Amino acid sequence: MTRLRINLEKCVACLECIDLCPCNAIQYDQTAVYIDQSCTLCGLCFSKCRFDAIHYKEVLPEKPSTENKMNTAGHKGIMIFGEQREGQLQEVVRELLGEGKRLAVQLDTTVSVVLLGMHTDALAKELFAFGADRIFQIDHPLLDYFNDELYADMIVQVVRQYTPEIFLVGATTYGKSLAPRIASRLDTGLTADCTRLEIDAEKRLLKQTRPAFGGNLMATIICPIHRPQMCTVCPKIMLPIEPDFEKTGQVIKPNIVFSKGIKTKIVEHIKLKSNHANLSDAEIIVSAGRGIQKLQNLELIRALADCLGAAVGASRALVDSGWIAYSHQIGQTGISVRPKIYFACGISGAMQHLAGMMSAKYIIAINKDPDASIFKVAHLGLVGNIEQIVPALINEIKSHYHY
Amino acid sequence: MNIIVCVKQVPASATVAINRDTHTMIREENNSMINPFDLYALEEAVRHKETHGGKITAISMGIPQTEDLLREVVAIGADHAVLLSDIAFAGADTLATAYTLASGIQKINVYDLIICGRQSTDGDTAQVGPSLAEKLGISHVTCVSKIDEISKDCIRCHRLVEDGYEVIEMRLPGLITVVKEINEPRLPSLFGLRRAAKAEIPVWSAADINIDLKLCGISGSPTYVIDTFTPDYHVENEILIGSPEEQAKTAVEKLSEILYTVGAF
């Protein structure tokens, strides 16, 4: 049943993977290396195998049990969760519409949005402008403010009635809380924080790609038998289309039943300006990683940000070390950003970090290790010690722009 | 108050530094650990127990060796720990994991509150908590950064959201996932370690928790990884050479061009 295979033609029995395996699942019987049943498929071994001898492919069960087999043909169309807060559409919804449109063309199908809230007619117009073909609108005072239980109840009913083949949710705090509840009730698959979506048109499959295994590599995931194929998508990665405010579409008011006895109540919503350190709207971001080496050097980063009028970001490593608040964390588990210019200072470039900043228009990396992976994605690289490069940059900027 | 804390064994290597010269991991003695986020969940349960009494049961789905980590969990302050371990559970995605944990928790039966870490450091999905709540038919709150109070049948807590936080009341039984802002986890005490050494940690198999084999492990997982790869970004890049001053000079000249083309000013 193990899905990892060792290619014995490539394996040189260096046995490094045996040491590496956290589950002690790799064995050597003097003739060959093999993987036993304690494998949890964490993926550590194959991402580290220097001989590319461990494979993770061809993982579909050879005969999917007919009992589990769902009639996927009955499911058509792409559906999107139209997340709104206080009557404002979340930016990620426009991005999902853009991406949904692109996918829909390949599947020759339509894009619809589930819009929950109160007095949302204006949003419906906006959704059409950004590419929605159909809107499932449920307007009700109880839906004015996000509530996991209620929203999940509504969406599950709409999905069951209108059977989309794909359901996309923005990977916001609400989206990431709501989507697993829906997927769990529908007993379907859910992929978290996707950064790329593609279509296998022949099989009508959504190929969902996300950073995996501690950010060392990307994994492409499919949901072959269950419908809808669900995923949450990182904000600030996909692109919205040019809006066309002349465009209209069909508004459907689905028949739904309100469940009784909702057990969660939002008492208060306290807004704090500093929560995301103004990163999401910043045009320039200066980010620091563990490569800055000393806490004092964070002041250099702040000084560079100051002279550029930039916001300060950080890698997960720096946040985990307690040097800077979580609100500054950029990446898969922090915030995703799309600034015009992104300075990565002392950031090695783990996939999880890249997932949160890859859509920056121009990336400048400063790192003393010329082999750091951040240089593979940077448009401009400066090689050297942060303590020397950053002050030199600040001086140069100040003289160049006549501060 | 009966609290269940869900924990996961994760590879310690995910957080261990890589030696850049040899490209090997700088390894510590143990190469697996308790998911760091789960330690916040455990700490919060222990704190509640200290002030209000009650019982803490830790549960994990994992390979047999996870028992060692569950002993650590007992040393930190859990009263009991249960391990769900069976070959049938291997290869589970978040849905199958939630189902398996739910079956284990149903066997434990008595609980008021379930606390999970927000996510694991290896899978990073943050999906198992809400998915588990759904399988158990209870409510949930994610990203909890503070618990105001827990009464007999209600919890009042703060959920961290993008622009601040919400104060949420949830009727119990319910599930919360916690973020690291919530507390500062403690280390095991000497007394705890002694207790843990003697603790009995039951290992429940698929048969023990009366589980549908079609719904757990690889057979119960709707999602499959079909490919993994290191992305090739194809960025046309320029790596500067020279002294810091020379590099800075070239960089700022470039920057002026870029600022013009990308229109940052």
Side-chain angles (χ1 to χ4, degrees):
Chain A
M1 205 144 59
T2 302
R3 289 181 290 166
L4 282 186
R5 302 239 170 89
I6 294 182
N7 181 339
L8 294 175
E9 283 176 11
K10 286 186 178 173
C11 178
V12 300
C14 69
L15 309 188
E16 280 176 13
C17 53
I18 293 181
D19 271 356
L20 213 58
C21 177
C23 315
N24 296 320
I26 309 180
Q27 313 290 338
Y28 180 58
D29 66 1
Q30 306 302 320
T31 52
V33 176
Y34 65 95
I35 296 172
D36 73 18
Q37 297 288 9
S38 29
C39 173
T40 62
L41 304 174
C42 70
L44 210 67
C45 54
F46 72 84
S47 62
K48 292 287 186 293
C49 178
R50 291 186 286 136
F51 304 95
D52 191 27
I54 308 178
H55 288 271
Y56 199 67
K57 294 184 182 179
E58 295 150 31
V59 292
L60 285 173
E62 281 164 24
K63 290 175 199 148
S65 89
T66 43
E67 212 170 326
N68 279 343
K69 188 149 187 155
M70 201 178 210
N71 180 14
T72 56
H75 291 72
K76 279 270 155 65
I78 295 171
M79 199 180 269
I80 289 167
F81 169 50
E83 184 182 343
Q84 56 87 20
R85 296 184 189 185
E86 296 170 48
Q88 296 292 314
L89 219 49
Q90 291 293 292
E91 183 62 32
V92 70
V93 178
R94 294 184 202 101
E95 296 164 11
L96 289 179
L97 273 170
E99 184 66 12
K101 265 303 238 216
R102 202 175 64 79
L103 302 173
V105 170
Q106 296 172 65
L107 287 167
D108 188 24
T109 186
T110 55
V111 179
S112 56
V113 177
V114 186
L115 180 58
L116 309 178
M118 192 168 70
H119 306 315
T120 52
D121 287 351
L123 296 187
K125 285 203 182 81
E126 195 178 341
L127 289 167
F128 286 133
F130 279 92
D133 300 304
R134 281 194 304 179
I135 292 169
F136 298 101
Q137 185 187 31
I138 307 172
D139 227 49
H140 195 282
L142 281 176
L143 301 174
D144 194 20
Y145 196 91
F146 176 80
N147 178 299
D148 281 293
E149 283 175 276
L150 262 177
Y151 272 49
D153 271 359
M154 300 295 115
I155 293 171
V156 165
Q157 290 181 59
V158 175
V159 168
R160 285 197 172 133
Q161 244 169 299
Y162 294 92
T163 59
E165 58 197 301
I166 292 172
F167 191 87
L168 305 176
V169 178
T172 60
T173 305
Y174 293 158
K176 288 184 63 105
S177 174
L178 177 70
R181 210 167 239 287
I182 297 171
S184 187
R185 196 171 310 172
L186 295 168
D187 277 315
T188 190
L190 174 65
T191 306
D193 307 311
C194 294
T195 54
R196 195 165 82 196
L197 299 176
E198 290 156 301
I199 294 289
D200 177 337
E202 195 190 326
K203 297 184 185 142
R204 285 190 90 81
L205 283 181
L206 179 66
K207 291 158 75 183
Q208 312 154 32
T209 298
R210 73 183 297 260
F213 308 114
N216 292 325
L217 72 174
M218 307 290 286
T220 302
I221 293 160
I222 55 164
C223 176
I225 303 166
H226 301 70
R227 292 292 175 274
Q229 306 164 78
M230 282 186 68
C231 61
T232 60
V233 179
C234 280
K236 307 255 175 189
I237 305 259
M238 310 301 178
L239 290 172
I241 57 166
E242 251 339 285
D244 169 8
F245 288 94
E246 302 296 304
K247 190 177 159 295
T248 59
Q250 191 188 4
V251 177
I252 298 163
K253 314 244 175 193
N255 281 321
I256 41 95
V257 183
F258 272 85
S259 44
K260 291 189 197 94
I262 292 301
K263 298 198 184 79
T264 45
K265 191 173 95 187
I266 288 88
V267 184
E268 240 181 316
H269 183 157
I270 300 188
K271 294 195 181 169
L272 302 170
K273 263 213 160 135
S274 62
N275 239 28
H276 268 304
N278 302 322
L279 284 167
S280 47
D281 302 323
E283 302 225 306
I284 305 180
I285 292 172
V286 179
S287 261
R290 192 148 43 185
I292 66 165
Q293 289 178 332
K294 285 187 225 146
L295 181 55
Q296 298 95 289
N297 288 345
L298 199 54
E299 288 315 311
L300 285 177
I301 303 300
R302 292 209 169 96
L304 177 60
D306 276 351
C307 74
L308 288 162
V312 175
S315 73
R316 179 180 187 159
L318 211 65
V319 173
D320 282 350
S321 66
W323 289 4
I324 192 164
Y326 170 71
S327 54
H328 291 267
Q329 185 175 323
I330 290 173
Q332 193 189 8
T333 54
I335 184 176
S336 299
V337 294
R338 184 151 55 197
K340 286 176 173 155
I341 298 175
Y342 189 88
F343 283 82
C345 310
I347 291 177
S348 60
M351 223 68 79
Q352 286 168 321
H353 186 76
L354 301 187
M357 44 64 78
M358 269 306 290
S359 28
K361 275 197 179 154
Y362 198 86
I363 299 167
I364 302 175
I366 307 168
N367 205 302
K368 68 169 192 224
D369 173 11
D371 295 326
S373 13
I374 192 76
F375 285 125
K376 295 198 186 86
V377 303
H379 301 84
L380 186 66
L382 285 75
V383 183
N385 196 322
I386 295 290
E387 286 174 27
Q388 293 169 339
I389 299 261
V390 174
L393 267 176
I394 295 171
N395 272 339
E396 197 60 41
I397 291 164
K398 285 190 171 163
S399 65
H400 199 90
Y401 293 101
H402 308 293
Y403 269 75
Chain B
M1 173 81 39
N2 290 294
I3 301 177
I4 290 176
V5 177
C6 298
V7 295
K8 183 185 185 188
Q9 168 174 312
V10 296
S13 344
T15 56
V16 171
I18 303 287
N19 180 325
R20 295 211 180 279
D21 300 324
T22 60
H23 293 283
T24 53
M25 284 191 300
I26 304 162
R27 227 171 302 144
E28 287 168 48
E29 226 165 77
N30 298 321
N31 53 3
S32 64
M33 60 178 188
I34 302 169
N35 172 37
F37 283 94
D38 301 344
L39 292 174
Y40 299 93
L42 178 62
E43 176 66 30
E44 204 55 27
V46 175
R47 285 184 189 191
H48 184 77
K49 188 192 156 183
E50 281 171 350
T51 49
H52 296 84
K55 206 178 80 182
I56 303 168
T57 308
I59 188 167
S60 184
M61 179 189 90
I63 55 170
Q65 292 93 316
T66 310
E67 190 188 320
D68 297 340
L69 293 182
L70 284 175
R71 243 167 246 291
E72 207 178 315
V73 169
V74 170
I76 292 170
D79 296 285
H80 307 281
V82 178
L83 175 61
L84 310 177
S85 192
D86 196 308
I87 287 169
F89 303 157
D93 69 1
T94 57
L95 185 75
T97 303
Y99 170 68
T100 308
L101 284 172
S103 307
I105 289 171
Q106 269 151 358
K107 180 166 167 143
I108 295 171
N109 193 17
V110 183
Y111 64 89
D112 303 291
L113 178 65
I114 300 172
I115 312 182
C116 304
R118 180 172 78 144
Q119 66 200 64
S120 66
T121 52
D122 56 348
D124 255 336
T125 68
Q127 287 176 181
V128 171
S131 188
L132 169 61
E134 173 63 32
K135 287 284 172 237
L136 289 167
I138 58 174
S139 311
H140 80 267
V141 181
T142 56
C143 299
V144 171
S145 58
K146 185 171 183 252
I147 295 178
D148 279 341
E149 61 171 319
I150 307 178
S151 66
K152 205 168 121 292
D153 54 4
C154 185
I155 180 173
R156 189 183 162 105
C157 56
H158 295 187
R159 160 159 70 187
L160 218 53
V161 290
E162 282 83 351
D163 62 351
Y165 65 91
E166 298 165 335
V167 182
I168 299 185
E169 283 175 3
M170 172 171 68
R171 256 185 282 155
L172 299 177
L175 179 148
I176 60 171
T177 75
V178 299
V179 293
K180 54 188 170 204
E181 282 77 1
I182 196 165
N183 58 41
E184 192 69 52
R186 72 190 68 190
L187 294 168
S189 67
L190 201 59
F191 171 74
L193 287 169
R194 280 211 299 270
R195 204 172 67 83
K198 285 180 280 179
E200 193 186 326
I201 297 182
V203 179
W204 291 347
S205 68
D208 293 328
I209 54 174
N210 195 20
I211 203 167
D212 184 342
L213 290 173
K214 288 194 298 295
L215 299 179
C216 62
I218 184 175
S219 355
S221 299
T223 59
Y224 296 93
V225 176
I226 49 162
D227 193 15
T228 59
F229 59 96
T230 310
D232 185 359
Y233 291 106
H234 292 296
V235 172
E236 235 181 79
N237 60 4
E238 186 180 349
I239 307 290
L240 300 180
I241 43 167
S243 72
E245 290 72 24
E246 285 162 357
Q247 291 192 45
K249 193 167 189 313
T250 323
V252 172
E253 278 164 15
K254 287 239 166 241
L255 194 61
S256 320
E257 278 171 48
I258 301 151
L259 289 173
Y260 182 71
T261 42
V262 302
F265 288 131

